[in-house]
Amino acid sequence: MKSTKEKILQTLLRRPKITINDLAEAVGINPISVRHHLTNLQMEGLIAADEERHGVGRPRLVYSLTEDGMESFPTKYFRLTTRLLTQMKDSMPGPVVANLFSQIAEDMANEYSDQMKGLSMEERLDFVKEMLAQEGFTVEWEKKGTEYQIHEISCPYYQIGVTHPEVCTVDQTLISKMLALPANKVQCILDGGTHCTYVVQPVAIKN
């Protein structure tokens, strides 16, 4: 038997932009109970509410799945991604493929460039930690002597990286660009390590 939460998510998958009353009818519970579940799902980041105008009067709220909500369902994205990367590597020179991954990381870093201005080294590390968490990484950092070590405890690219290790250049390039310092990998989970570790040497940050 599916839980009420699962029923709500399944309904939103089939019928995005749905009102509370329509959702309550579809799931088979009263609107007050639906509202309670929606509040919890919003706190989990699985759904979003938007205002929608429908004729005269105040806009009504309609609900839909967020990206995280969509990814809570079983998908074949991993299989598709692996096939796409295989096809890319078969039809494109290695340096071109590597450059594509680097460019992805640079584009991501550029999105945050303004927010990084004026931050100290450790503030940048905290920012990188939070930003990578939004991308699905679990990251911790520590200072050892004169260097900083960045540990990726979990990586959303791991399964893809097993067959396409080139994908690892994304987070390495991203960390380097965000910190404005070379990030040297000293341990990799793909090579049998418990996690991936990057080392950076602190220097004066240019704003």
Side-chain angles (χ1 to χ4, degrees):
M1 293 290 291
K2 292 181 180 178
S3 68
T4 301
K5 173 182 175 179
E6 291 173 324
K7 290 178 181 178
I8 290 174
L9 292 173
Q10 286 281 357
T11 301
L12 290 171
L13 179 66
R14 296 191 304 268
R15 299 172 58 187
K17 303 292 184 182
I18 190 173
T19 65
I20 284 182
N21 289 336
D22 289 340
L23 188 56
E25 183 179 348
V27 176
I29 60 176
N30 63 63
I32 295 177
S33 296
V34 168
R35 192 182 300 276
H36 171 73
H37 284 288
L38 290 176
T39 298
N40 290 335
L41 290 169
Q42 281 183 281
M43 291 176 63
E44 293 177 43
L46 300 179
I47 67 168
D50 297 292
E51 289 188 346
E52 180 182 81
R53 293 197 172 276
H54 59 116
V56 180
R58 297 176 59 185
R60 64 185 179 182
L61 284 178
V62 292
Y63 295 85
S64 56
L65 295 173
T66 62
E67 184 177 313
D68 285 344
M70 292 290 291
E71 291 186 352
S72 67
F73 292 93
T75 68
K76 301 298 183 184
Y77 291 155
F78 167 68
R79 185 179 300 175
L80 175 61
T81 302
T82 302
R83 288 173 176 169
L84 285 171
L85 290 176
T86 299
Q87 185 64 36
M88 284 173 54
K89 290 164 67 174
D90 288 344
S91 59
M92 301 168 65
V96 174
V97 175
N99 186 62
L100 284 173
F101 285 118
S102 294
Q103 190 59 54
I104 289 171
E106 290 192 25
D107 290 345
M108 292 170 65
N110 288 337
E111 293 178 14
Y112 299 97
S113 59
D114 288 342
Q115 300 175 59
M116 298 289 286
K117 290 180 179 178
L119 297 184
S120 67
M121 179 63 185
E122 297 194 354
E123 288 172 335
R124 284 181 177 239
L125 285 163
D126 283 337
F127 190 96
V128 168
K129 174 181 175 179
E130 294 176 11
M131 187 271 292
L132 286 175
Q134 295 176 20
E135 297 294 329
F137 293 86
T138 301
V139 175
E140 298 293 341
W141 65 266
E142 61 178 331
K143 187 173 184 180
K144 285 198 169 183
T146 61
E147 67 184 24
Y148 290 92
Q149 294 190 0
I150 302 163
H151 307 293
E152 290 180 355
I153 311 303
S154 67
C155 172
Y157 305 151
Y158 171 73
Q159 292 295 337
I160 296 172
V162 170
T163 50
H164 300 289
E166 299 87 352
V167 75
C168 294
T169 60
V170 173
D171 47 306
Q172 184 170 9
T173 303
L174 184 58
I175 291 170
S176 295
K177 291 294 181 181
M178 297 285 283
L179 297 179
L181 291 168
N184 300 310
K185 181 179 284 188
V186 296
Q187 180 177 230
C188 181
I189 193 171
L190 295 178
D191 297 329
T194 55
H195 49 259
C196 295
T197 297
Y198 298 97
V199 171
V200 294
Q201 292 286 346
V203 295
I205 300 295
K206 295 180 180 180
N207 296 324

